[in-house]
Amino acid sequence: MSTRIVIADDHPMVQAALRSALVTALPDLDLIACRSVDEVLEVLSSDWREVDLVLLDLTMPGTDGFAGLFLLHAHFPTLPVAIVSARQDAATIQKAITFGASGYIPKSLDLPEMASAIGAILEGETWTPPRFGAETADPDAAMSARLASLSSQQLRILTKIIEGKLNKQIAGEMEIAEQTVKVHVSAILKKLGVVSRTQAAVTCERLLSTSARDSAKP
């Protein structure tokens, strides 16, 4: 049985490096390259259960920071997603793991190290760089944990709140009762410790973008 991996990175050199790292380690490999989060969502919409892993850059067209990871977990909560990024600071790595990433792979790793890290993630491990200290203080740790505690349904509703959708619009798009949306919104506000939809949206957007700009893209 082949291993299917989606590479979500808009830089051809990174795609080529990941491909080179994987083809020798995984002989029966099916790689799908995407240059935007929208492309990833389109690929996954048809057969996401056949995908073993998504390798996701933090900054791609149409998204920035952890928004891509947030969206993927909202729509495909059981799909393993690992971050591949030029950033290597402990706060960003810790936030990725808190938000449910299956691993964090710096782009500075050499190809054998990348292959080893991806192999470990495919085996079910949560892989982070050996020098990473999970005890590193993160001023957003408590709120990040609250955001990570939302269910997949609540995450989907929160993404629509961020888009400015009203309860009636959300209900129509998700094909659920408006009262059900209201219940979920109340639960979201309570879990995040905020008092309004606007505050929830602003807080979420800040958390998803903080310390996540990949200014060192190769």
Side-chain angles (χ1 to χ4, degrees):
M1 184 179 295
S2 65
T3 301
R4 178 172 292 183
I5 296 177
V6 174
I7 298 175
D9 195 298
D10 63 321
H11 201 290
M13 289 178 61
V14 175
Q15 291 184 8
L18 289 170
R19 185 179 296 274
S20 297
L22 290 168
V23 290
T24 54
L26 299 169
D28 295 320
L29 180 65
D30 180 11
L31 279 178
I32 303 171
C34 298
R35 296 175 60 87
S36 71
V37 171
D38 285 342
E39 283 187 33
V40 177
L41 292 172
E42 184 176 352
V43 167
L44 296 176
S45 65
S46 57
D47 58 354
W48 70 272
R49 291 179 180 81
E50 301 298 321
V51 175
D52 297 288
L53 178 64
V54 175
L55 299 174
L56 177 68
D57 190 12
L58 281 180
T59 304
M60 296 177 65
T63 187
D64 181 54
F66 295 102
L69 179 62
F70 182 85
L71 278 172
L72 292 179
H73 276 316
H75 289 277
F76 315 103
T78 62
L79 177 65
V81 181
I83 299 298
V84 181
S85 175
R87 291 193 64 91
Q88 300 184 56
D89 62 280
T92 300
I93 297 172
Q94 182 59 59
K95 188 168 289 186
I97 301 305
T98 299
F99 286 157
S102 298
Y104 194 103
I105 304 171
K107 291 180 180 178
S108 61
L109 294 183
D110 60 32
L111 297 186
E113 288 178 311
M114 277 191 177
S116 176
I118 293 169
I121 294 168
L122 287 170
E123 291 295 323
E125 296 181 30
T126 300
W127 193 94
T128 56
R131 295 173 295 280
F132 165 64
E135 72 283 354
T136 302
D138 178 4
D140 291 323
M143 183 57 78
S144 295
R146 290 182 179 185
L147 180 58
S149 74
L150 298 180
S151 69
S152 59
Q153 187 82 322
Q154 289 168 348
L155 287 174
R156 290 182 64 193
I157 290 172
L158 183 53
T159 62
K160 295 182 184 300
I161 290 174
I162 293 171
E163 294 171 359
K165 302 287 180 62
L166 301 176
N167 288 349
K168 185 175 182 179
Q169 293 173 300
I170 296 172
E173 291 181 9
M174 296 183 63
E175 298 183 342
I176 57 178
E178 186 175 352
Q179 183 59 37
T180 301
V181 175
K182 291 179 180 178
V183 171
H184 279 305
V185 170
S186 296
I188 290 168
L189 299 183
K190 183 176 180 180
K191 284 187 177 181
L192 295 182
V194 297
V195 297
S196 69
R197 297 160 63 100
T198 300
Q199 190 178 359
V202 170
T203 299
C204 183
E205 289 183 313
R206 180 182 64 80
L207 286 175
L208 295 178
S209 62
T210 299
S211 300
R213 294 189 179 278
D214 241 343
S215 58
K217 287 176 76 72

